[in-house]
């Protein structure tokens, strides 16, 4: 078995990618409320702040800042995956790929680049013509807060 080592930093900020096993599935957006509920339940167990997120039909990208000394983002991912799988009533292996990808954010430029990547991802994958057209994105909160204009990246 591979001994995979993940990066950790106290109070670190991480870019996470969670992917479905069946890349043709749309269960994440079809059952978006179940995903939200699973994430909120996981947040109560694993303290963190979501800086940016986008949910596409078959995968999601999230930028999270951990708020505990353990920096247990692996447990966060596990809780989200298990919670979502239970809420949609799947049995067996569930919808998720077994692993996930993470990247420790190194500095402010890295943080900004990953926020932009997250928000632009629906356009990149052909799910929307403009960033503002994709409903399952933290981009809309950035617009409401006056951080980004509605026509950003158009």
């Amino acid at each position: 078995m591979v001994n995979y080592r993940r990066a950790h930093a106290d109070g670190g900020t991480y870019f996470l990618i969670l992917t479905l096993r069946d890349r043709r599935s749309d269960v994440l957006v079809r059952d978006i409320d179940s995903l939200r509920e699973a994430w909120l339940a996981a947040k109560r167990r694993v303290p963190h702040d979501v800086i940016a997120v986008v949910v596409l039909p078959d995968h999601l990208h999230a930028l999270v800042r951990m708020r505990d000394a353990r920096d247990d983002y692996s447990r966060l991912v596990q809780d989200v995956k298990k919670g979502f799988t239970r809420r949609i009533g799947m049995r067996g292996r569930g919808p998720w790929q077994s692993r996930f990808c993470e990247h420790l954010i190194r500095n402010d430029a890295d943080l900004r680049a990953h926020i932009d990547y997250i928000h632009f991802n629906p356009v990149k994958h052909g799910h929307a013509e403009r960033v503002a057209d994709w409903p399952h994105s933290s981009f809309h909160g950035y617009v409401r807060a006056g951080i980004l204009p509605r026509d950003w990246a158009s």
Side-chain angles (χ1 to χ4, degrees):
M1 182 170 175
V2 175
N3 185 14
Y4 185 78
R5 293 180 184 228
R6 295 195 180 272
H8 286 277
D10 290 344
T13 300
Y14 301 90
F15 173 71
L16 305 172
I17 305 171
L18 286 66
T19 306
L20 295 179
R21 183 175 285 114
D22 180 0
R23 297 300 301 260
R24 297 164 300 176
S25 177
D26 68 349
V27 71
L28 292 180
V29 294
R30 187 170 19 96
D31 289 321
I32 192 75
D33 291 335
S34 296
L35 182 60
R36 281 189 187 109
E37 291 168 11
W39 202 292
L40 288 172
K43 187 172 185 169
R44 290 190 290 274
R45 291 185 294 276
V46 184
H48 67 283
D49 296 312
V50 176
I51 297 167
V53 64
V54 67
V55 179
L56 299 174
D58 64 336
H59 71 284
L60 68 85
H61 298 283
L63 195 54
V64 298
R65 180 170 295 126
M66 302 308 296
R67 289 191 290 126
D68 64 354
R70 293 178 21 202
D71 244 18
D72 201 356
Y73 60 86
S74 290
R75 178 160 183 237
L76 170 63
V77 169
Q78 179 184 33
D79 281 4
V80 169
K81 286 180 172 184
K82 281 185 176 180
F84 179 73
T85 301
R86 285 186 195 122
R87 281 170 175 78
I88 64 170
M90 284 195 82
R91 301 278 186 248
R93 292 179 7 167
W96 300 100
Q97 287 185 3
S98 59
R99 294 201 179 254
F100 68 95
C101 297
E102 98 288 335
H103 165 77
L104 174 63
I105 299 299
R106 309 263 184 230
N107 54 42
D108 287 340
D110 195 22
L111 177 68
R112 285 190 303 275
H114 280 84
I115 291 170
D116 290 351
Y117 179 85
I118 286 169
H119 290 155
F120 193 74
N121 211 253
V123 175
K124 174 187 170 192
H125 286 284
H127 296 296
E129 285 188 31
R130 299 175 319 132
V131 173
D133 294 339
W134 189 251
H136 311 298
S137 172
S138 58
F139 171 76
H140 304 287
Y142 279 64
V143 171
R144 284 191 298 276
I147 298 168
L148 291 173
R150 183 163 172 72
D151 64 350
W152 177 82
S154 292

